[in-house]
Amino acid sequence: MEFDSVFLSRMLTSLTLGFHIIFATIGVGVPVMISIAEYIGIKKNDPYYILLARRWARGFTITVAVGVVTGTSIGLQLSLLWPSFMKIAGQAISLPLFMETFAFFFEAIFLSIYLYTWDRFKKPIYHWLLSIPVVIGSSASAFFITTVNAFMNTPQGFELANGIITKLDPLKAMFNPATPTKTFHVLTSSYLTSAMILAAITAFAMIRGKRGVYEQKALKLTMVATLLFAAGTALAGDLSAKFLAKKQPEKLAAAEWHFETEKGADLILFGTLDKNTHNISNEIRIPKALSFLAGNSFETEVIGLDQIPKEEQPPLWIHYLFDLMVLIGFFTLFIAAVYLLLLKWKKGNPHNKPLLWAIVASGPLSMLAIEIGWIFAEVGRQPWILRGYMKVTNGATTANNVGSMLILFILLYIALATISSIVLNKMFKKKPAEVELNERYAHMISK
Amino acid sequence: MSTEILGITVLWLFLYGYVIVASIDFGAGFFAYYGKRTKKDHIINHIISRYLSPVWEVTNVFFVFFFVGLVGFFPDTAYYYGTALLVPGSIALILLAIRGSFYAFGNYGYKDNKLFLFLYGATGLLIPASLSMALTISEGGFIEIRGDQVVLLMKELFLSPYAWSVVFLAIVSVLFISASFLTYYADRANDIEAKQLIRKFALTWSGPTILASLFVFISLRAHNLRHFENAIDLWWMFALSFIFFVGAVYLIYKKKAYGTAFIFVMLQFFFAFFGYGASHLPYLLDPFITIYSGYTNETMGIALIIAFIAGLFLLIPSLFMLMRLFLFDAEYVKGRK
C-alpha cells in the first residue's frame, strides 16, 4: 500500500507529539510537586518531605532528558514536515515560539543549578528558592507553546493574501480566543497528571508492603494535590466546552454527535452511531445538558453539524475520545475524594487494597486522558491546519522520504521508552527510601 | 543597521554560542570514550563529567534557539531548508536524541556503561558532521527546484570536495575547542595528570584545525567564487583569527595562562565564524533566499528583537550564576562540593 507524504507527515508528527507530551506533561507538573514537597519539608523541618523532593527530582532528571530531546525533535520537525505551513505561520507565531525557548532556557539553567546544589547552601530555603524559576520556566513554556496551538485553532491578528501576511499584530495572534481556556486546561491537567502518577507510584509501593511513614506522607501529599488539580481541570474543561460552543462549534458538534442546531440540546454519553442514517443507539442521553454545558442555561442554542459544510466537518469518532477523557477526569476526582474522606474519618482505612489499586490505575489512566484529550483537540480541527486559512494537505512537505524517517523515529522512541523505564526502575530499587533516610537524615529522625 | 542585519547578527551570535558550548560537549564525549578505550578513564573522566553534568541541557537550548529564531526572522528558510533537509535533518535529530538521553541514562542510571559511553562519544563526532551539512548546502549548487518540489542533490553533495572539507573542519575544530577548554578546566582543578593528557590532545588537534580551514578556503573558491571573493575582502578578520590561533597554541605549548589561551581560541573562532557569515551575506541560501527576500513581517521582526533583548536580561544573569557555581567555583571544580 502506498501512502502519500501528507498522511506520513501526519503520522510522524502525531508519533513525535504523542511521545513528547508524556514527558512534557511530567516536565510541567513534577517540578510543582517537588517544590511543594521541599517547602513543606523545610517549614516543618520534616526530613520525609525533603527526601521526597530529592527522590522525585532524581527521577525527574531522566524524564527531563527524554523530554528535551523529543522536544527538540518536534521543534525541528515542524519545519521539516510542514515547510509550507511554517513559511506562513512563521510570520505570525514566531514570537510565542521564540518566547517558549526563552522560558525553556531559563528552566534548563535553574534546573541544572537546583539539581547540583542540594547541600551547598547554609540555609535550605535558598535551595528551595531555586525551584521557583524552574516551576515558572516549565509552566511558562507550556503556556507559550499552547498559545501557538491555540492560534492554529482560532487564528487572528493578521490578513493573508497570496501567502503573504499583512496587518500583523503579534500580541493579538498570541492572545487569540482559544488561548485562555487552552492554556488553563493544559496547565491544570499537567499538574493533575503528574500528581496522580506520583501517587500511583506510592500506592504501588504500598501494595507491595512498603507502608512506612515515608509512603504515607507521600500519598497524602499527592492525593491532596490531585484533588485540587482535578477540580481545577474540571473547571478548565467546562470553560473549554463553552469556548468551543462559541468559537469552534464544529468541534463540539462532532464530539457530541449534535447534528441539528437546536435549543435545549441533549448531552450524549457513549452510544454507537450509524454512519449513514446518523441514528444513535445504546447511548445515555441527558436531556438539555449540552445546552447547559455550552452556555449555562438549558435553553442555549447549540450549533449543529447541519451548519457546517460537509468538507469542513471533523471526523465523528472524536466523540469516543471526548467521553473517555471526561470520564477519566471525573474518576481521578472521585478517587482522590474517597481517599481523603477515609483519611478524615477516624474509622476509615484509606490504605485498603481496592482503593490503592484504583490509585495505581489512575496514574496511567490520567496520562491516557492527556493523550486522548490532545488527539481529540487535534483531530477535532481537521481538515484545517490553520483553521479557516490552510488545510492540512497544503501544509505538508513534498519530499519523498517521510516513510523511512517514520520508521527510524518509531525505532528511536521504542528504544527511549524501554531504556528510560529500565533506568528509572533500577534507580529507585538500588536505594530504597528508608535506607536513604537513615543515611542522610538519621540525626533528624532520632530526635 | 537595518532590522534584517540585526536579526541575522543576533542569530549568528547564537549559532556561534552553540558552536563553542556544543564543541566542548561533543569533544568531551569523545575524549571520555577514548579515555575508556585506552584505559585512561580514571585520569580524565571525572573532570569531564564534573563539567558536563550541570550544563548539557543548557547546551541543547542554544541550538533550539537558533533554529526557532531562524524560522521566525526568515520564514522562507523553513520552506527551502525544511524540504531539502528532511533526511539529513532527521538523522541529526535522532543522533541528538540518542546523545542527550543516553547521557542522562549513563550519568544518573547506569554509571560507566560501555555501550552508553560509546553512543555518547560516537554521536559527538557525527552530529557536527551532519549539522555542518546545512552550512554546506547554503552555498548553493546542492538544491534544485523541480516543479513545486525542492530537491536535495545527494550525489552532488556526496562527491563535493567542499562538503567534505567542511565536515572535516567541523570534526577537528570540535576536538580542538574541547581539548583547549578542558585543559583550562583541569588546570583549575589542579589535576595535573588530566591536564597533561588533555593538553596533548589540544596540541594534536591544533594542526589539523588550521589545515582544514585552509582546505575550506581553497575548495570554496572552486565552489562559490562570489563568496570566496567577499571573504578575501574581509581578509583582516581571518588574519585576526589566525593570530589568535597562534597565540592560543603558543600559550598551551608553553604551559601557561590556559584561561587566556581558551579565550584566544574563542576569539579565533569568533573572527573566522563572523568573517564567514559576513561574506556569505546577503544570501541565506544561495541563490534562493537573501536576508531581504526571506525576511519576516517588519512588525514581527521588531517584536522578536524586543523579546530577544528582554530575554537577554533574564538569561545573562542566570548563565552568569550557572558559571559562577560550576565553572569558576574552585571548590566545585576540585570536587569538594
Side-chain angles (χ1 to χ4, degrees), chain B residues 156-190:
Chain B
E156 272 79 354
L157 194 61
F158 198 72
L159 294 175
S160 154
Y162 177 69
W164 286 107
S165 66
V166 172
V167 167
F168 183 59
L169 176 62
I171 293 175
V172 292
S173 7
V174 158
L175 295 173
F176 176 59
I177 295 174
S178 185
S180 48
F181 173 79
L182 289 170
T183 309
Y184 161 66
Y185 200 67
D187 183 50
R188 294 268 318 173
N190 275 341

Side-chain angles (χ1 to χ4, degrees), chain A residues 68 72 92 112 116 120 165 398, chain B residues 53-54 60 108 149 297 325 329:
Chain A
V68 168
T72 310
S112 299
Y116 287 90
R120 265 175 90 167
I165 283 186
T398 45
Chain B
S53 306
N60 203 53
Y108 305 111
Q149 262 192 319
N297 222 285
L325 284 169
D329 184 318

